[in-house]
Each structure stands twice: as C-alpha cells, then as structure tokens.
C-alpha cells in the first residue's frame, strides 16, 4: 500500500519566511504519528500543508496520492483537519453547522446524529448558536464534524486542548477507531505521554524540519533555547 | 457548481436571518443616509425629486459596501473560510452563492429604500418596469464586484480600508448607468433607459463570469 504522506525536502513559505524549510517525512497508510516540537516549530504548518491549505514552494509533497505541487484542491474532501479554529459559523446552531459541513463535503447526513451523540452534543445544545457555546463544546463540534466526515487522513492539531477528561478519552478512542478503520492520523500535541500512548511513533519537528531520530532530544534542546 | 452555489447562498442567508445584522444595522444605516441627503439638499421639492435617482443609488452603494464586509466577516470568524476550502466546494460555486446571497439582501434593501425615497423626496415611482430591471441588473453587478473584491481584501490586514478603495472605482459605471436608467424611468431625462439597462447587463455578465473563473485562484492566494 502506498504511503499516505510523502514530503521530501518540502518548503512552505509565508512571504519570505520559511514555515517548512526542507521537511522530509513519510507516513504509512494506517499509521498514527505524533508530531512534537516547540511552539513555532512547524507542526501546524505541516498539518495545514497536508490539508492542501498551504502551497508548497519547492521539494516534493504527496498526500493520499495527490501531488500537492500540481493540485492541492481535489485532495481536500479526503482529509479532515482539526485546527486551532473550529471553522464554525457563530450564528448557526450546533446542528446546522454540522449539517452544512456534511453537505459541503458531500458526506452522508445520516452520520450527523451518531457523531453528535458520540461527542456528547445532545438535547438543547443542538439548537444553541455556536457563538453561545463554550470553548470545549466548540471543540467537540469540530470533532463531531471530523467523525461524521470520516476522512482517510486525520490531521489533529492539539486535539485534547480545551476538553474535559471524558472528551479527552473520547479523542483517544476516536484516534484508535480511525486507525482500525484504515485511516491515517497525524497528531500534533504537547501532551507527550498522552499522545505517545495512542501513536505508533513520534516525530520531532524543529525549525520547519524533522529532527533526525537518533539525535532529536539533544537538538531540540538547542533549537528551543 | 450550482449545487454548491445554492448551499453557500442558503448558508449565508440563514446566518443573516439569525443575526439580523442587515435588518438591525444596514437598513437603519441606509435610511439615515437617505434622510441626511434630504436634509443636506434642503426643503426644495423639485430639487429633491431631481436628485432622487442619484441619492438612491449612492445610498445603495454605501449599503452594499457594508454588505460585502459583513459577507466576508462571516468567513473570517473562526476561520470558517478555511472550512469552506477544506470541504472541497467548487470555488465558482462559492462565488456565485455568496454573490447571490448578497444580491438578494440588496434587492430587499432597495425595495425598502425606493419606497422611503419616494415618500421622503416626494417622487412618484413611475416606469416601475425599468426601475425594477435596473435594480436587478445593477444589483447583480454590485454583488459580483463586491464578492470578488471582498475576497481579495479579506486576505489582507487592511481589509476595512482596502475594500472601499477597490470597490467604489470599479462600480462607478453601475452607479452612472443605474442612476441614468432611474432618471429615465422617473421622467427626469429623455429616452427609455434601455441603453443604460444594456450597459448594466453587460457589466453584470462580465463580472459574474470573471468572478466565477477567477475566484478559485483568489481564494487560494488570499
């Protein structure tokens, strides 16, 4: 089976500033990979590049068989990104936001109910405008969208942030279920122990590059300093 | 593309219906502008009637700017625009959908403004067919230009000041043609206004076509 993600010397720029500066990474299909690194190391940029949201300036980047230098739009229905933002419309209710997300991504609407229930979004909360929801509830909704879309590649940026203990355990369970279902998961997290427990392997990122495994702990210390 | 356009238009209109920003802010703003124009020109009834077409369309332009800013503020909050891109919606469909939602709101506003302007300035609404046709065509042009440049400005840090600079010069032909068409319909100038309607139609068609084709690269680069 071909790898889900192949980045070779990939460069992503914001103006002239390199967000990824020659990053190389290969992730097998069905693998759960934990991305770790200091703030600003490039974890979020890598996830956004994998989602086709950031253009690749040079190098090679393929995600789910799509060459991102040629076309980074047609890939998007196959990936799900849980970012720092939830991509919600504040005026729309929890239910309406999920239904819109599913219609837009052409996912079956029947998945909405089970996904909302799985994330504990039930009762009156369903008709509550997202603008009136707590940060944790918004996070749960973003996860519900992801679950209902059932993407082939899950891109999770600090998925446990802002969640209570029960929801954090649900996130761990969802990642495990995604893997069982054949999906690939890239997970950026500062919660090293928790992430290590659900990931197949861990990759250190610093300065927009993957730190070689043999030397990563020593180099990370230097980069952060 | 049309399915995506309907979906996006429905979403924008639903958000607007729930937030009532148009009803509670844009409509009162436009009515205040009409009133202030009236106060500035004084109580001379003939003068007010002669200026009705121009005042109406300048007010619509100002309100359209607010509508465009609001349309893209929705997509900036919580990075909802990224969500649209991630869902794989057709970019042309997003453009047509957002422009249609904006155009619908502007048409409702224009209906209200036309009635208020008629009462306020003492101008009988004659030639309703030409008035309505010019509203539809001019609104299509305004919505298309507004959506196109709204997306362009939304990706910048100076969006609030950049958008008027881009929007007003480009829609100057719409202001001119719509004002002339209204003046013709209201009997303030010669001709039936058909030539001006044709100009509005060409302008709208051109910008709808440009926007539909160019919106994808615009979204990706902004």
């Amino acid at each position: 089976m071909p790898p889900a993600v192949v980045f070779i010397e990939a460069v992503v720029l914001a103006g002239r500033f390199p967000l990824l500066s020659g990053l190389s990474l290969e992730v097998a299909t069905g693998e759960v990979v934990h991305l770790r690194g200091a703030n600003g190391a490039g974890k979020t940029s890598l996830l956004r590049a994998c989602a086709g949201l950031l253009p690749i300036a040079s190098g090679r980047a393929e995600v789910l068989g799509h060459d991102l230098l040629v076309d980074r739009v047609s890939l998007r229905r196959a990936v799900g990104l849980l970012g720092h933002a939830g991509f919600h419309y504040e005026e729309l209710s929890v239910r309406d936001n999920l239904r819109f997300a599913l219609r837009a991504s052409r996912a079956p609407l029947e998945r909405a109910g089970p996904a909302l229930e799985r994330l504990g979004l039930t009762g009156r909360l369903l008709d509550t405008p997202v603008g009136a929801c707590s940060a944790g509830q918004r996070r749960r909704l973003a996860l519900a969208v992801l679950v209902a879309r059932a993407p082939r590649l899950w891109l999770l940026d600090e998925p446990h942030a802002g969640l209570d203990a029960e929801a954090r355990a649900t996130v761990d369970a969802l990642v495990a279920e995604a893997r069982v279902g054949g999906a690939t998961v890239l997970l950026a997290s500062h919660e090293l122990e928790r992430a290590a427990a659900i990931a197949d392997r861990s990759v250190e990122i610093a300065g927009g590059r993957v730190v070689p495994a043999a030397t990563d702990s020593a180099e990370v210390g230097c980069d952060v300093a | 593309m049309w399915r995506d356009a309907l979906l996006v238009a429905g979403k924008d209109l639903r958000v607007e219906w729930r937030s009532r920003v148009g009803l509670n802010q844009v409509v009162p703003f436009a009515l205040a502008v009409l009133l202030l124009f009236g106060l500035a020109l004084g109580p001379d009834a003939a003068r007010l009637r002669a200026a009705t077409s121009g005042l109406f369309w300048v007010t619509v332009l100002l309100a359209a700017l607010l509508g465009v800013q609001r349309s893209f503020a929705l997509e900036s909050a919580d990075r909802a625009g990224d969500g649209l891109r991630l869902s794989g919606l057709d970019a042309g469909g997003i453009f047509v959908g957002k422009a249609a939602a904006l155009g619908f709101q502007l048409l409702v506003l224009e209906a209200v403004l036309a009635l208020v302007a008629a009462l306020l300035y003492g101008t009988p609404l004659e030639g309703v067919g030409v008035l309505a046709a010019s509203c539809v065509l001019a609104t299509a042009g305004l919505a298309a230009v507004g959506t196109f440049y709204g997306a362009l400005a939304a990706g910048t840090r100076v969006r609030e000041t950049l958008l008027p600079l881009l929007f007003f010069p480009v829609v100057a032909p719409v202001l001119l043609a719509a004002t002339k068409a209204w003046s013709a319909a209201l009997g303030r100038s010669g001709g039936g206004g058909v030539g001006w309607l044709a100009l509005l139609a060409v302008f709208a068609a051109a910008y709808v076509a440009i926007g539909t084709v160019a919106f994808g690269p615009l979204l990706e680069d902004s």
Side-chain angles (χ1 to χ4, degrees), chain A residues 2 93 108 130 145:
Chain A
S93 67
V130 165
V145 171

Side-chain angles (χ1 to χ4, degrees), chain A residues 48 51-53 72-73 76-77 81 85-89 91-93 96 100 103-106 138 149, chain B residues 3-4 7-8 11 14-15 18-19 70 74-75 77-80 82-89 220:
Chain A
R48 288 176 62 81
L53 290 177
R72 56 194 172 91
V73 175
R76 290 178 184 158
R77 284 215 168 100
L81 172 66
F87 314 131
H88 307 315
Y89 295 95
E91 294 83 358
L92 296 185
S93 67
D96 283 349
F100 175 73
R103 283 200 179 104
S105 57
R106 288 176 167 67
R138 287 160 172 253
R149 283 186 59 192
Chain B
R3 176 199 172 277
D4 291 351
L7 188 65
V8 171
K11 180 266 296 175
R14 192 175 298 121
V15 168
R18 298 266 167 86
S19 69
R70 169 70 183 153
L74 301 180
E75 308 300 345
D78 208 18
R79 301 191 85 144
D82 276 353
L84 279 187
R85 291 166 66 198
L86 279 168
S87 63
L89 285 170
E220 296 304 323

Side-chain angles (χ1 to χ4, degrees), chain A residues 150-166:
Chain A
R152 288 165 57 202
L153 175 61
W154 292 47
L155 303 165
L156 308 178
D157 200 352
E158 298 295 344
H160 301 102
L163 295 175
D164 57 30
E166 187 189 351

Side-chain angles (χ1 to χ4, degrees), chain A residues 163-193:
Chain A
L163 295 175
D164 57 30
E166 187 189 351
R168 290 154 71 88
T170 303
V171 169
D172 296 348
L174 289 173
V175 169
E177 287 166 26
R179 175 170 42 187
V180 169
T184 307
V185 182
L186 274 179
L187 160 78
S189 178
H190 291 296
E191 300 197 35
L192 304 184
E193 285 184 19

Side-chain angles (χ1 to χ4, degrees), chain B residues 34 56 109-121 123 125 182:
Chain B
L34 270 189
F56 173 84
L109 174 73
E110 286 162 21
V112 174
L113 285 182
L115 293 174
V116 173
L119 289 172
L120 205 59
Y121 302 155
T123 307
L125 294 178
W182 262 52

Side-chain angles (χ1 to χ4, degrees), chain B residues 11-185:
Chain B
K11 180 266 296 175
D12 274 16
L13 290 174
R14 192 175 298 121
V15 168
E16 219 40 63
W17 179 250
R18 298 266 167 86
S19 69
R20 304 280 206 276
V21 168
L23 193 65
N24 295 336
Q25 292 177 26
V26 179
V27 172
F29 164 79
L31 293 176
V33 171
L34 270 189
L35 186 65
L36 288 172
F37 277 144
L39 291 174
L41 287 177
D44 184 341
R47 199 171 167 195
L48 281 174
R49 278 197 293 274
T52 298
S53 305
L55 299 185
F56 173 84
W57 281 107
V58 169
T59 305
V60 169
L61 243 62
L62 294 172
L65 182 68
L66 293 186
V68 173
Q69 284 176 330
R70 169 70 183 153
S71 176
F72 284 93
L74 301 180
E75 308 300 345
S76 299
D78 208 18
R79 301 191 85 144
D82 276 353
L84 279 187
R85 291 166 66 198
L86 279 168
S87 63
L89 285 170
D90 179 81
I94 296 175
F95 170 78
V96 172
K98 290 198 77 68
L102 176 63
F104 178 79
Q105 293 171 72
L106 283 177
L107 280 174
V108 173
L109 174 73
E110 286 162 21
V112 174
L113 285 182
L115 293 174
V116 173
L119 289 172
L120 205 59
Y121 302 155
T123 307
L125 294 178
E126 295 158 351
V128 174
V130 174
L131 294 185
S134 56
C135 278
V136 169
L137 294 172
T139 300
L142 292 177
V145 171
T147 303
F148 185 79
Y149 287 106
L152 188 67
T156 69
R157 289 177 186 166
V158 289
R159 61 180 75 95
E160 291 85 2
T161 45
L162 180 62
L163 181 60
L165 284 176
L166 296 170
F167 181 66
F168 286 136
V170 175
V171 296
V174 175
L175 175 68
L176 176 69
T179 301
K180 293 290 186 186
W182 262 52
S183 291

